[in-house]
Amino acid sequence: IGLQGSYFLMISHGIISGALFLCIGILYDRYHTRILYYYGGLVNVMPIFSIVFLIFILSNMGFPGTSGFVGEILILISFFSFNIKVSFFLSSSMVLSAVYSL
């Protein structure tokens, strides 16, 4: 189960990270700045882009129902059957990735 989860997570990560870099490239091409203050009100200007960007961010965090979650949960299930202490450490890494994405 863990090996299948790691395959799924690697493929998912490749797609998600590529999509996030594409979204950042679109924003930089449109605004020509990296200052986050100027991105305020992006939902009013680009609503569909904002929704797609949010979906990719949630998938990067491993939100339930996204491809990132499926790989992470399969890996955690295999670790729970192996060692509970290590699985709690890995669960904390999911929390840290969510904080990083936000």
Side-chain angles (χ1 to χ4, degrees), residues 2 13 17 44 52 56-57 60 68 70 74 76-77 82 87 89 95 98-99 102:
H13 178 71
S17 62
N44 297 328
V52 171
F56 287 134
I57 289 173
N60 187 37
V70 174
L74 287 174
L76 283 177
I77 287 171
F82 177 69
S87 61
F89 177 70
V95 173
V99 169
L102 290 176

Side-chain angles (χ1 to χ4, degrees), residues 35-51:
I35 300 172
L36 293 177
Y37 176 76
Y38 296 120
Y39 295 146
L42 191 64
V43 176
N44 297 328
V45 179
M46 303 168 67
I48 296 172
F49 174 81
S50 299
I51 291 170

Side-chain angles (χ1 to χ4, degrees), residues 1-96:
I1 294 174
L3 195 58
Q4 291 173 350
S6 65
Y7 290 152
F8 200 83
L9 191 62
M10 284 188 289
I11 292 169
S12 173
H13 178 71
I15 294 169
I16 292 167
S17 62
L20 286 173
F21 276 114
L22 176 70
C23 291
I24 294 299
I26 290 171
L27 283 177
Y28 183 76
D29 188 49
R30 184 173 177 127
Y31 290 101
H32 298 290
T33 185
R34 292 189 178 113
I35 300 172
L36 293 177
Y37 176 76
Y38 296 120
Y39 295 146
L42 191 64
V43 176
N44 297 328
V45 179
M46 303 168 67
I48 296 172
F49 174 81
S50 299
I51 291 170
V52 171
F53 193 41
L54 178 68
I55 290 170
F56 287 134
I57 289 173
L58 291 176
S59 185
N60 187 37
M61 289 180 359
F63 193 74
T66 60
S67 62
F69 177 75
V70 174
E72 287 181 2
I73 199 72
L74 287 174
I75 292 170
L76 283 177
I77 287 171
S78 70
F79 266 109
F80 270 118
S81 65
F82 177 69
N83 190 351
I84 298 229
K85 292 178 184 177
V86 173
S87 61
F88 283 119
F89 177 70
L90 291 176
S91 299
S92 67
S93 72
M94 290 175 63
V95 173
L96 290 176

